[in-house]
Amino acid sequence: MTTRTIDPTGDDLKRIVATVAADTPVTMLNLLRFRDQAAYPATDDAKPCSGRDAYARYSRQALAHVRAVGGEPVVIAEVLGRFIGPDNEDWDEMLLVRYPSLSAFLAMIGNPDYQAATIHRTAALADARLIVTRTPA
């Protein structure tokens, strides 16, 4: 059985910093499975919505942060189905986001304004994968 993952852990950050040089240009592969209904904390005043709508809230805010560090979305696509992969790994959407370096990506996710926007991402997702790839020169 595959473990459900949404938000990075301290171990995730340590592992990627230890294995990828900070100046390496990277493209992040995002695999996303949305909740039917967004799961906001009880203390949040966000209006009820679908997971896809909550992710759109996150995306509108995150895009400014991506661009502020020199990043850009490359591909955003609806996933139509799994051809090869475990039975329990079906995805709704995939996206590729290019960053000029791993350090640019890490600076973005360390920004408190960006972190505040992730409440929508966490509420939106039933499961996710974020895979670091080397951007071709």
Side-chain angles (χ1 to χ4, degrees):
M1 177 160 182
T2 303
T3 302
R4 187 176 157 267
T5 55
I6 298 172
D7 297 315
T9 66
D11 287 342
D12 294 328
L13 291 169
K14 288 176 190 171
R15 183 180 59 255
I16 204 64
V17 168
T19 59
V20 179
D23 62 348
T24 303
V26 296
T27 299
M28 305 301 278
L29 166 62
N30 296 256
L31 299 173
L32 309 172
R33 184 177 316 123
F34 300 112
R35 297 175 188 268
D36 291 333
Q37 182 72 27
Y40 283 100
T43 57
D44 189 75
D45 61 356
K47 297 204 181 335
C49 65
S50 70
R52 191 174 293 273
D53 288 340
Y55 197 84
R57 291 175 185 171
Y58 161 75
S59 294
R60 285 190 293 274
Q61 294 177 42
L63 183 57
H65 295 285
V66 168
R67 290 190 170 138
V69 299
E72 64 178 325
V74 178
V75 175
I76 300 170
E78 177 183 359
V79 174
L80 300 178
R82 171 184 28 84
F83 185 64
I84 297 173
D87 287 341
N88 61 345
E89 288 226 359
D90 289 314
W91 305 103
D92 296 316
E93 191 170 283
M94 68 76 65
L95 58 117
L96 296 171
V97 182
R98 183 177 299 135
Y99 295 89
S101 65
L102 178 64
S103 62
F105 170 75
L106 294 174
M108 181 192 76
I109 66 170
N111 179 306
D113 290 335
Y114 169 81
Q115 290 175 4
T118 64
I119 190 170
H120 303 296
R121 183 183 182 281
T122 301
L125 296 175
D127 202 1
R129 301 291 180 268
L130 184 56
I131 301 165
V132 183
T133 71
R134 182 184 317 274
T135 300

